[in-house]
């Protein structure tokens, strides 16, 4: 990866895409940011608007409206294009419509000569990541979805409040589908180094499994609640995308619950993209961490895997 000019192409300059772009500018995560959208007028307007903020930022980022030819020497292609979830609509219902959108995007990115990393945020994100993998023919390590990164952030935020500890010291993950079948494997959740299950045993007057189950339910339904309140969700996911981009550019070997193609973990076939802790660096998805799940957690993870696989196979390309 050429890191003397960190170049990102953003495809889809709607609410999610521009929340990422705004975070990227404020955090100076790249040197060049190209905006592409079916709605060219909007993408041009967004480029103008961001450029007017440059003077107030610490960045000298080059931001411009572009075309698929601009992908040729980009390091990362962030895809946020697509149709949004309507109130009450599940992420999986978006699938067919967004597959059509991706069929008009991914082949054009690839034919530009692009040799970087695809980072997908469009929902249903796990399946759209697999669609990107299939359409691109890229090595699976270079095709990543945001997966349950945002859900994990929501979980840590709520656990931090519940246990009254900095969320950065709550090590707990949401795995599986970014959607209704996602799971919180409580057997793997620790405050610093102390399992939360031990905390419950030691302080039954303060903490309970019922409370934790309520927290995981809140995480699972957070998007529905935000969509009901304000139409769509975008700041959180925009910042999650920005954080992942930074981890890739900085070759961090940081762990995120991104959507990745399994490599035989959990005894499952290795063709499904699903949220699981993964070490990310400049080569993309470096190592997938297979968790020591309880029987019940593994069963739920397998159910989630099955839903993602069946829905992928329901797509008409
Ligand atoms: P939006 O409607 O504001 O923006 C979508 C953009 O995609 C529009 O600007 C539209 O013109 C563009 N677009 C549509 N078809 C295109 C094409 N063929 N080529 C190029 N551009 C095209 O929607 P949004 O709120 O930004 O949401 C975008 C996606 O992100 C949705 O699928 C949404 O469900 C998803 N999302 C994901 C997460 C997550 O955690 N992964 C969180 C929130 C939203």
């Amino acid at each position: 990866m050429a890191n003397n000019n960190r170049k990102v192409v953003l495809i889809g300059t709607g609410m999610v895409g521009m929340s990422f772009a705004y975070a990227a500018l404020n955090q100076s995560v790249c040197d060049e940011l190209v905006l592409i959208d079916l709605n060219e007028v909007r993408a041009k307007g967004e480029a103008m608007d961001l450029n007017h903020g440059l003077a107030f930022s610490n960045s000298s980022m080059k931001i411009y409206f572009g075309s698929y030819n601009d992908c040729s020497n980009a390091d990362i292609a962030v895809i946020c294009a697509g149709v949004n979830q309507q109130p009450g609509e599940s992420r999986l219902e978006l699938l067919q419509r967004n597959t059509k959108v991706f069929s008009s995007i991914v082949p054009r990115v690839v034919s530009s000569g692009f040799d970087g990393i695809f980072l997908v945020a469009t929902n249903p994100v796990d399946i759209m990541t697999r669609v990107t993998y299939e359409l691109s023919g890229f090595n699976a390590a270079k095709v990543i979805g945001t997966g349950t990164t945002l859900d994990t952030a929501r979980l840590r935020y709520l656990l931090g409040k519940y246990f009254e500890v900095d969320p950065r010291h709550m090590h707990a993950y949401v795995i599986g589908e970014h959607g209704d079948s996602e799971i919180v494997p409580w057997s793997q959740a620790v405050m610093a180094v102390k399992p939360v299950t031990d905390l419950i045993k030691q302080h039954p007057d303060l903490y309970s499994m019922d409370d934790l189950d309520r927290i995981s339910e809140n995480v699972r339904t957070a998007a529905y609640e935000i969509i009901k309140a304000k139409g769509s969700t975008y700041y959180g996911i925009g910042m999650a995308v920005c954080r992942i981009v930074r981890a890739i550019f900085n070759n961090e070997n940081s762990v995120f619950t991104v959507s990745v193609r399994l490599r035989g973990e959990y005894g499952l076939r290795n063709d499904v993209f699903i949220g699981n802790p993964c070490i990310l660096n400049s080569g993309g998805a470096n190592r997938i961490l297979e968790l020591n799940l309880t029987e019940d957690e593994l069963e739920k993870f397998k159910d989630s895997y099955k839903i993602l696989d069946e829905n992928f196979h329901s797509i008409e390309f």
Side-chain angles (χ1 to χ4, degrees), residues 11-17 36-39 42 68 80-85 94 98 101 104-105 121-123 125 146-147 150 178 232-234 237:
I11 302 142
T13 58
M15 297 309 293
V16 170
I36 297 177
D37 198 287
L38 189 63
N39 183 344
R42 177 175 186 167
Y68 286 97
C80 302
V83 202
N84 213 336
Q85 237 174 316
L94 287 176
N98 280 339
V101 169
S104 75
I105 294 174
T122 303
N123 276 322
V125 69
T146 51
L150 178 58
H178 169 58
S232 61
T233 84
Y234 35 89
I237 183 62

Side-chain angles (χ1 to χ4, degrees), residues 145-281:
T146 51
T148 44
T149 305
L150 178 58
D151 314 69
T152 293
R154 286 174 177 152
L155 176 69
R156 287 181 167 185
Y157 164 72
L158 292 175
L159 288 178
K161 276 197 1 189
Y162 181 66
F163 287 111
E164 294 180 304
V165 71
D166 185 330
R168 283 169 297 195
H169 298 290
M170 290 306 314
H171 302 289
Y173 297 94
V174 180
I175 60 171
E177 173 202 1
H178 169 58
D180 297 342
S181 68
E182 67 186 32
I183 311 134
V184 178
W186 290 116
S187 69
Q188 308 296 303
V190 293
M191 177 202 285
V193 291
K194 195 162 176 69
V196 295
T197 45
D198 285 3
L199 285 166
I200 290 174
K201 274 186 212 134
Q202 283 168 3
H203 306 283
D205 47 326
L206 292 176
Y207 310 125
S208 72
M209 215 45 229
D210 282 350
D211 287 344
L212 293 192
D213 287 338
R214 251 190 301 279
I215 287 175
S216 61
E217 180 62 10
N218 285 346
V219 170
R220 203 177 60 75
T221 56
Y224 291 112
E225 208 173 312
I226 298 171
I227 289 168
K228 207 165 130 202
K230 55 176 264 189
S232 61
T233 84
Y234 35 89
Y235 296 132
I237 183 62
M239 293 189 72
V241 172
C242 188
R243 180 66 191 89
I244 294 170
V245 166
R246 182 144 52 93
I248 293 171
F249 277 129
N250 291 348
N251 195 23
E252 281 181 20
N253 286 314
S254 291
V255 178
F256 295 94
T257 47
V258 280
S259 192
V260 281
R261 189 172 194 256
L262 293 183
R263 303 166 188 174
E265 290 81 4
Y266 307 106
L268 292 166
R269 275 198 337 267
N270 56 0
D271 46 4
V272 171
F273 281 73
I274 190 164
N276 192 77
C278 175
I279 298 173
L280 289 189
N281 63 24

Side-chain angles (χ1 to χ4, degrees), residues 27-46:
Q27 297 179 28
S28 277
V29 293
C30 58
D31 303 299
E32 199 172 338
L33 178 64
V34 186
L35 306 185
I36 297 177
D37 198 287
L38 189 63
N39 183 344
E40 295 191 357
V41 174
R42 177 175 186 167
K44 282 178 187 162
E46 294 289 5

